[in-house]
Amino acid sequence: MSSRSIAGHEIRRLLRDRALLVLLGLMVALAAYAAWNGSAWVGQREAAIGLLKAEEQDTKDRSRGFVGKAPSVLPRVQPVLPPGPMAALSVGQAEAYPYTADVVALGDRSQLLRRVWSDVGNPAVQAAGRFDLAFVIVFLLPLVILAATFDLWSRERERGITALLLSQPIEAGRLIAVKASARAAIVLLPALAIIIGVAACSGATSPTGLAVLALIVFAYGSFWIAVAVLIGCFARRTTEAAIAAGALWLLIVVMAPSLVLAAVDLMVPSPSQMELATALKAQLADTARQQKLRHAAEPPAMRSPAPRIADAVRVAYADLVQADQAITPLLAAYAEAEDARRQVLDRARLLLPSVAVQDALDRLAGSDADRALAFQQQVLEYWQARRQLQKDYLDRDEPQTLAEYNALPRFEFQDTDGLPQRGVLIDLAALAAATLLLLIAAWSMRRRLATP
């Protein structure tokens, strides 16, 4: 009995099974809806960004009339984080972070993002997750694969033909490998084609992105094929194999991520935003009180000749800088606590195949936490640059000119080159390692294949 004949038999048997066609048809319908849902979300986000840009331009146009009448005119700017070219693939953590900011040059740093937290979506939606293609891949693709491969060897055991099959000139390990490969070709490859097709139709048209998506789906599907192979090594009845497949799906996809997150919450709890807001408010109030007392005790000296820009403006700017310096340690401590927690979660994902795949899809779609945090860092740098403009006008003692106003820099988010790809490669490496461990475990149990 050759490998080709074994594979041909498996393929013919699966093709005669109408349940497989039903499963693939259901996957087409769910993937299409998920793709439409992701595309609709991208459209809503782009429409909101368009409104923000129009409002920002209107503010800039209305502020033009004040140029020359004040030391500087730095109108409110609302930077935005645009969706990536593969954004329809996975909403991911995009709704857990602000996609816009509120940059007021003479405002304090703590207000950059606080005013836009109301734009973050419903917490219930964040907890459940959007029904996007990433959800189909992470949660539903394993069910389709397991439904077609859970009885990889248990059916032969129930029929009592294991001894007959193993009497042929073929090793048990090779036999199970050929059967698994044949089923993977009939189930995984069509599922891969469905996912790539609907992703392209949803607007994710980047050739490189689609190629990486295909690699992620193939690697994740291979992991679940390896799970089925392991089940086939010890399950003696079809019912046992079905129960084991369902239990492993529930453990790997649902329970393990929740348990790991609970453990991380106990070891490295998330810093409290409420405590931070309270501490910032108290610190700013205390700083303002000290400044008021100092100004009352030390009135500013009168200069002769008087500068073109009044010294009171310089005093107000110095007070703003002092207030920023006062709250910087509080913000730094909060950011450090968040970074420590994020690093633990980042390492934990490598132990969880479903989380690693979700992370890879988020990075591919540009909806990951690293991109959102890079946006926040760039917003901070942009705000600091606008603050520096105010200082430059004060230092030269010349008000802003209309030409300088027209040349004010605009915010453009710059994606971090190489970082998403590096994260995806790490996720794929973790997934490949998990698949290899399963195959090694199955190979060590190959002698059990002969057990009736």
Side-chain angles (χ1 to χ4, degrees), residues 59-401:
T59 301
K60 185 175 181 180
D61 292 340
R62 287 188 288 105
S63 301
R64 190 183 306 273
F66 297 95
V67 177
K69 301 175 183 179
S72 66
V73 180
L74 301 172
R76 175 192 181 198
V77 179
Q78 299 181 77
V80 293
L81 176 62
M86 299 286 290
L89 171 64
S90 175
V91 176
Q93 301 182 62
E95 291 184 314
Y97 291 91
Y99 66 94
T100 181
D102 193 6
V103 176
V104 179
L106 300 183
D108 68 79
R109 174 180 171 181
S110 64
Q111 298 295 327
L112 287 175
L113 300 168
R114 185 184 298 177
R115 296 180 184 177
V116 296
W117 278 112
S118 59
D119 291 336
V120 177
N122 189 324
V125 174
Q126 294 178 23
R130 293 271 181 172
F131 193 91
D132 51 18
L133 271 174
F135 181 87
V136 172
I137 295 170
V138 174
F139 285 85
L140 303 184
L141 177 63
L143 291 176
V144 173
I145 293 175
L146 289 176
T149 57
F150 75 94
D151 60 344
L152 197 60
W153 190 241
S154 58
R155 181 174 297 188
E156 283 76 2
R157 281 175 168 167
E158 282 189 334
R159 293 180 177 180
I161 60 175
T162 54
L164 176 62
L165 291 175
L166 294 177
S167 66
Q168 303 299 316
I170 185 171
E171 297 180 354
R174 183 182 174 189
L175 175 62
I176 200 74
V178 170
K179 288 168 66 67
S181 300
R183 296 200 184 192
I186 295 300
V187 179
L188 179 56
L189 295 183
L192 177 60
I194 291 169
I195 291 171
I196 297 300
V198 296
C201 293
S202 70
T205 56
S206 168
T208 303
L210 291 174
V212 175
L213 173 61
L215 182 60
I216 294 171
V217 174
F218 182 80
Y220 191 49
S222 299
F223 168 80
W224 287 102
I225 294 293
V227 171
V229 170
L230 185 62
I231 292 173
C233 290
F234 66 83
R236 291 179 171 81
R237 299 290 182 268
T238 302
T239 52
E240 293 178 4
I243 292 173
L248 287 174
W249 176 86
L250 186 64
L251 175 63
I252 295 172
V253 177
V254 180
M255 293 182 62
S258 299
L259 293 175
V260 170
L261 180 59
V264 172
D265 287 338
L266 290 175
M267 294 186 298
V268 189
S270 179
S272 172
Q273 290 187 2
M274 184 176 296
E275 291 181 1
L276 174 64
T278 302
L280 288 174
K281 184 177 180 180
Q283 182 62 59
L284 289 172
D286 182 64
T287 302
R289 184 170 56 254
Q290 292 178 7
Q291 291 172 348
K292 185 177 180 180
L293 293 174
R294 187 177 69 252
H295 295 332
E298 302 175 4
M302 301 298 294
R303 291 197 289 168
S304 180
R308 296 190 62 183
I309 299 177
D311 282 335
V313 178
R314 294 180 175 80
V315 172
Y317 180 83
D319 288 345
L320 289 174
V321 173
Q322 184 184 15
D324 289 336
Q325 293 174 347
I327 64 175
T328 295
L330 297 175
L331 295 173
Y334 181 83
E336 184 179 356
E338 277 196 324
D339 289 342
R341 172 181 167 81
R342 194 175 298 111
Q343 289 177 7
V344 174
L345 289 172
D346 202 43
R347 296 189 186 100
R349 85 179 197 272
L350 302 179
L351 304 176
L352 305 168
S354 59
V355 178
V357 170
Q358 180 69 63
D359 180 77
L361 294 172
D362 289 350
R363 293 178 185 275
L364 181 61
S367 58
D368 56 299
D370 288 340
R371 187 169 186 259
L373 293 174
F375 167 70
Q376 295 183 23
Q377 180 61 33
Q378 292 180 30
V379 166
L380 176 60
E381 294 171 358
Y382 180 73
W383 170 77
Q384 290 171 339
R386 290 180 80 85
R387 271 288 188 86
Q388 183 62 38
L389 287 176
Q390 172 75 1
K391 184 176 185 300
D392 292 342
Y393 300 141
L394 295 176
D395 289 344
R396 76 184 189 187
D397 197 26
E398 290 287 343
Q400 179 188 34
T401 65

